[in-house]
Amino acid sequence: MTKPAIIMITCDELRRDAIGIYGNKAVATPHLNRLARSSMRYENCYTPSPLCLPARSSIVTGLYPHNSGAYSNFRDCALKPELPNIFNLLKKDGYRTSMFGKCHFVPGLNDTSTPDTTIENDHREKYLALGIDDLALQDGKGSSIWFYDDYSRELEAAGYLDAYRKKQWDKKTYASVFDFPGPSEYHPDIWVANKTCGYLQDHNKEAPLFMWLSFSGPHYPFDPPSEYLDRVDTTQLGPRSFREGEFDDPSRFHHTSYHGPYGIDACNRAKDGACKNFDEDYWTRLRTAYHANIALIDDQIGRVLDLIKQKFGDNALVIFTTDHGEMLGDHGLWGKHACVYEPVWRTPLFVQYPNGELSGQTANEKVSTMDILPTCLKVAGIKTETKFDGQELRELTATGGRTYIFAEAETFAAVTDGVYKYFYARYHGKDFHELLDLNADPGEFINYVNEPSHREILINLQRQLIERYVQDVMP
């Protein structure tokens, strides 16, 4: 029998609670719901990092960022091609490897780009060196206006790149919320789906296929074509999870994100660099645009799922997840940098195994998106001596899942047991320590780090974080 096709579908910055199967009523997601119902749903999956590059590199290597060396969006720490990864390991076993959309395994260091130009780079060659056979590159909404990729070249040829670039760079006028300035078929997520569908239609189904469909939405800018805004029922958006005065204490890490003048992604769009200066009309427009982009993506996922079924029947492993989530106005913030709040850290993970295995079931054990690579290898029947931080999902959940989940990126690290979270960061010369308690404070508003009642919990989580890193640097 032919080896199963392996298809991974990811969004960028998608909140778990934005999917209909988790109760979202603001926008319909029938195709994601369909996939979820035919999959094993891993209800407690977490990302190893709330930053795009480290999170994506962990997915493809099965390693924590400190072990892969790809730990930041902002430093020159590109994923090394000599590391075993999902592309070169499957390719070595005879799979045809392909990727459509956002890679971001190389930092988008855009300090040389300007609002009136898009410049050349060597990112495409670096991505191919990882073991990708076929690549249609749309390397993120921001990256595509900073640097030429396959998408921005076509957008320029069609006459829409300049308008898209101007709206993205004009952060004060639009603050990353605007209608896509071109026909819908040129929106990044529709372009990526069109390339994917064309490739699937032409693929020889007798050759084993690994394909990653990587949407750059609903990551900001929040830029759906205007017709998708009508899909959103704004009365069902619900209130933002927010508590007045939460960040008044300067010892809170996101004190400057909220009060200014620096911090989370949104700061340089807000007056005085302070997220508190976004008014409620802005939050409604932003959240509406975000959900509209999800409706667009859901349409495209439906097209792709139909083609997968037509091409491979039940002989396919289909995985859906995201690199991390998005604050979307909760705590008065948007973005994700150094956030270990539930909307960012906890991710959706649906795995549709070949031949209907585990269809319609749920697993409540704690797992990580790092566990995707070992799972793909297991399904493909590939044995390797490579050591991963990730584990095969079915074996992991059968033994109780992960006791502790870790997250990290440049400047910070965090650990959770699923109820308590400890976060440490060094930022602008200051140390920050936070302890969150989901039982006592499900909204994650209160820092319990100095509470005597939580002292033993704090000590244990700090010990777990220290031991996690010590065992990697001093094996």
Side-chain angles (χ1 to χ4, degrees):
M1 182 177 178
T2 305
K3 281 180 175 283
I6 300 174
I7 294 100
M8 183 160 62
I9 303 171
T10 60
C11 293
D12 192 343
E13 216 147 307
L14 175 70
R15 289 171 61 116
R16 180 177 180 272
D17 63 5
I19 303 172
I21 202 163
Y22 291 122
N24 180 37
K25 296 180 180 178
V27 70
T29 59
H31 303 296
L32 276 170
N33 296 350
R34 167 174 43 130
L35 178 60
R37 292 189 181 104
S38 65
S39 298
M40 167 63 94
R41 283 162 42 198
Y42 294 90
E43 301 289 69
N44 289 294
C45 181
Y46 296 81
T47 179
S49 180
L51 288 178
C52 297
L53 187 149
R56 290 166 175 273
S57 297
S58 288
I59 289 173
V60 300
T61 63
L63 298 174
Y64 288 112
H66 67 272
N67 284 331
S68 74
Y71 62 89
S72 173
N73 281 4
F74 315 110
R75 306 284 181 182
D76 189 8
C77 56
L79 186 61
K80 300 177 181 65
E82 61 268 21
L83 275 178
N85 66 61
I86 202 166
F87 302 111
N88 56 34
L89 289 171
L90 288 170
K91 182 173 182 175
K92 185 177 179 181
D93 195 65
Y95 273 79
R96 185 79 185 178
T97 61
S98 57
M99 188 159 188
F100 301 87
K102 180 172 179 175
C103 291
H104 202 176
F105 307 125
V106 174
L109 305 175
N110 63 319
D111 53 349
T112 56
S113 57
T114 65
D116 59 354
T117 188
T118 299
I119 62 177
E120 300 289 347
N121 66 52
D122 61 354
H123 291 183
R124 196 175 204 283
E125 290 73 22
K126 290 181 177 178
Y127 296 148
L128 292 172
L130 295 172
I132 302 173
D133 291 316
D134 303 306
L135 174 63
L137 184 61
Q138 193 281 303
D139 208 20
K141 296 175 182 178
S143 186
S144 288
I145 66 160
W146 301 328
F147 307 115
Y148 279 113
D149 57 21
D150 299 325
Y151 166 73
S152 53
R153 290 188 189 282
E154 289 193 18
L155 195 66
E156 184 175 57
Y160 304 111
L161 176 60
D162 186 59
Y164 195 34
R165 184 172 54 225
K166 285 178 178 176
K167 280 197 167 184
Q168 288 204 47
W169 273 98
D170 191 346
K171 295 175 182 177
K172 296 304 179 185
T173 301
Y174 299 106
S176 291
V177 183
F178 54 82
D179 298 353
F180 180 71
S184 295
E185 61 266 28
Y186 284 102
H187 186 274
D189 296 326
I190 295 180
W191 183 90
V192 166
N194 286 341
K195 296 295 182 183
T196 303
C197 289
Y199 186 85
L200 272 174
Q201 288 168 339
D202 294 340
H203 179 71
N204 175 3
K205 66 181 180 181
E206 297 305 317
L209 170 70
F210 171 72
M211 185 183 77
W212 184 350
L213 166 54
S214 178
F215 293 108
S216 64
H219 188 292
Y220 60 88
F222 308 99
D223 63 347
S226 57
E227 61 265 31
Y228 278 91
L229 296 170
D230 294 335
R231 299 268 199 101
V232 183
D233 183 350
T234 56
T235 67
Q236 295 293 327
L237 287 173
R240 295 183 292 121
S241 180
F242 172 73
R243 178 175 290 183
E244 194 69 45
E246 176 185 358
F247 296 121
D248 285 354
D249 183 346
S251 71
R252 296 303 305 270
F253 181 77
H254 282 292
H255 171 80
T256 54
S257 296
Y258 187 71
H259 292 285
Y262 53 75
I264 202 168
D265 316 33
C267 287
N268 67 354
R269 281 83 164 170
K271 181 183 177 183
D272 301 325
C275 288
K276 67 180 180 181
N277 290 324
F278 292 128
D279 61 24
E280 205 57 44
D281 174 68
Y282 174 80
W283 287 121
T284 299
R285 289 189 295 108
L286 183 150
R287 296 167 76 210
T288 301
Y290 180 86
H291 284 85
N293 198 167
I294 292 170
L296 181 156
I297 290 171
D298 188 75
D299 283 350
Q300 311 315 310
I301 288 175
R303 296 169 58 200
V304 173
L305 291 178
D306 289 345
L307 275 172
I308 292 170
K309 184 69 173 179
Q310 173 187 323
K311 204 78 176 183
F312 305 108
D314 293 328
N315 192 30
L317 173 70
V318 182
I319 298 168
F320 174 81
T321 192
T322 184
D323 50 1
H324 50 70
E326 156 69 49
M327 292 305 295
L328 206 69
D330 288 346
H331 301 264
L333 310 172
W334 69 254
K336 75 282 181 181
H337 288 180
C339 283
V340 294
Y341 298 113
E342 289 291 279
V344 169
W345 198 355
R346 192 174 171 202
T347 65
L349 177 60
F350 309 149
V351 180
Q352 183 178 279
Y353 291 97
N355 305 312
E357 181 189 353
L358 303 178
S359 175
Q361 298 187 38
T362 59
N364 292 313
E365 295 83 2
K366 292 186 290 296
V367 302
S368 168
T369 51
M370 287 190 307
D371 302 323
I372 289 172
L373 171 55
T375 302
C376 291
L377 298 181
K378 180 75 171 183
V379 170
I382 299 173
K383 296 182 179 180
T384 177
E385 297 300 316
T386 302
K387 302 298 182 184
F388 304 110
D389 295 317
Q391 301 177 55
E392 201 274 331
L393 282 163
R394 290 164 296 182
E395 296 172 0
L396 178 58
T397 55
T399 56
R402 295 175 178 273
T403 304
Y404 298 98
I405 293 284
F406 301 90
E408 62 182 90
E410 182 178 7
T411 75
F412 87 93
V415 57
T416 183
D417 61 5
V419 174
Y420 303 103
K421 301 178 180 179
Y422 170 67
F423 169 89
Y424 166 76
R426 174 164 288 189
Y427 194 58
H428 285 255
K430 296 180 180 179
D431 290 337
F432 296 86
H433 301 266
E434 297 193 4
L435 181 67
L436 304 176
D437 180 345
L438 291 178
N439 279 344
D441 176 35
E444 304 183 278
F445 300 119
I446 301 168
N447 183 11
Y448 290 87
V449 76
N450 293 318
E451 291 295 325
S453 61
H454 286 66
R455 180 171 173 76
E456 292 303 316
I457 295 164
L458 173 64
I459 290 171
N460 177 55
L461 291 180
Q462 287 176 327
R463 179 186 299 119
Q464 298 301 328
L465 199 61
I466 292 168
E467 289 180 357
R468 169 71 266 168
Y469 289 96
V470 167
Q471 72 182 25
D472 283 343
V473 299
M474 299 174 63

